């Protein structure tokens, strides 16, 4: 809350307090009671072969994680012609307590990249509810030389949130993509970017925003 400078005494302070409009705020943050579950009902794409993707909801109902174990794009050093691009579309079924709906307020993507000087990698992502138009896809680029864990976050303002329809079961479709380009680096040099984790230590986190549905 912005602090006001006090210069006119107690009477002026009281008058200002009455006259000043209350700042606009989003709905008070709400976390539903009960237990939220998330399950994969469909997985398609070269970045998520069958059996290589899992999801888990946070115990406090604030987020869920997606873990991949075979999601890696690469170029150079014997890579195949299509290995530079990997993608995955997940259809997720989110079971929420009755009387509540949700939106995705923030998504945190993580992985590891090894990029030579002149090479670069890109992570792209978007999501939409079944039967609705897709949200704008965002792109994050990482330029070589780079050899470390990477992280990219997409955050949506409250007024721009896309809410799941109340009282309906709609899949949440999540699209992700990794691309690696050799650029001006040596064609023989190996460049890669992953969004996978065989031990579950690296995962993508989707943060919920909740609100109560209107009374029937």
């Amino acid at each position: 809350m912005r602090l006001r400078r006090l210069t006119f005494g107690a009477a002026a302070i009281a008058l200002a307090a009455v006259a000043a409009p209350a700042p606009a705020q989003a709905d008070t943050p709400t976390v539903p009671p009960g237990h939220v579950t998330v399950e994969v009902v469909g997985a398609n794409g070269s970045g998520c072969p069958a059996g290589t993707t899992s999801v888990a909801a946070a115990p406090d109902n604030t987020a869920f994680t997606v873990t991949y174990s075979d999601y890696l794009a690469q170029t150079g050093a014997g890579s195949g012609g299509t290995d530079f691009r990997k993608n995955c579309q997940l259809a997720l079924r989110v079971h929420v307590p009755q009387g509540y709906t949700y939106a995705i307020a923030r998504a945190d993507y993580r992985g590891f990249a090894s990029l030579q000087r002149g090479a670069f990698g890109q992570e792209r992502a978007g999501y939409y509810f079944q039967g609705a138009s897709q949200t704008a896809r965002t792109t994050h680029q990482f330029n070589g030389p780079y050899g470390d864990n990477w992280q990219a976050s997409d955050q949506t303002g409250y007024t721009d949130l896309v809410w799941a329809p109340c009282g309906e079961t709609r899949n949440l479709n999540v699209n992700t993509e990794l691309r690696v380009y050799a650029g001006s680096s040596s064609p023989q040099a190996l460049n890669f970017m992953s969004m996978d984790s065989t031990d579950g230590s690296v995962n993508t986190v989707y943060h919920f925003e909740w609100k109560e549905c209107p009374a029937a």
Side-chain angles (χ1 to χ4, degrees):
M1 180 181 293
R2 187 173 60 184
L3 297 178
R4 299 178 180 270
R5 189 174 181 182
L6 305 180
T7 56
F8 298 106
I13 293 173
L15 180 60
V18 172
Q25 293 181 346
D27 293 345
T28 302
T30 301
V31 177
H35 185 52
V36 174
T37 63
V38 184
E39 61 178 315
V40 178
V41 295
N44 295 286
S46 54
C48 51
T52 65
T53 307
S54 63
V55 295
D60 60 2
N61 294 343
T62 61
F64 68 90
T65 61
V66 179
T67 304
Y68 304 93
S69 59
D70 191 13
Y71 200 156
L72 181 144
Q74 63 180 39
T75 186
S79 302
T82 61
D83 288 344
F84 80 98
R85 174 185 178 272
K86 294 295 177 72
N87 74 296
C88 180
Q89 176 167 312
L90 296 178
L92 305 176
R93 185 72 51 81
V94 182
H95 300 275
V96 304
Q98 185 174 5
Y100 288 85
T101 186
Y102 71 95
I104 303 300
R106 191 175 85 241
D108 299 324
Y109 304 93
R110 299 181 179 88
F112 184 85
S114 178
L115 304 169
Q116 307 301 315
R117 185 178 301 277
F120 62 96
Q122 294 179 337
E123 178 270 334
R124 302 178 181 182
Y127 66 89
Y128 62 98
F129 290 107
Q130 181 181 8
S133 58
Q134 179 168 304
T135 60
R137 301 189 72 181
T138 57
T139 300
H140 300 275
Q141 181 162 311
F142 300 85
N143 299 316
Y146 193 102
D148 203 348
N149 294 322
W150 61 267
Q151 178 172 333
S153 295
D154 298 329
Q155 185 151 359
T156 303
Y158 189 87
T159 57
D160 295 322
L161 292 174
V162 178
W163 299 92
C166 283
E168 299 182 27
T169 300
R170 300 275 190 96
N171 290 342
L172 172 64
N173 295 310
V174 175
N175 294 320
T176 56
E177 182 179 334
L178 293 178
R179 293 189 179 213
V180 176
Y181 297 94
S184 60
S185 67
S186 169
Q188 287 74 42
L190 177 63
N191 297 285
F192 68 87
M193 188 171 179
S194 72
M195 192 157 51
D196 62 12
S197 174
T198 56
D199 62 0
S201 61
V202 177
N203 48 47
T204 297
V205 183
Y206 294 90
H207 301 266
F208 288 123
E209 183 76 32
W210 294 98
K211 71 176 180 179
E212 294 186 53
C213 291

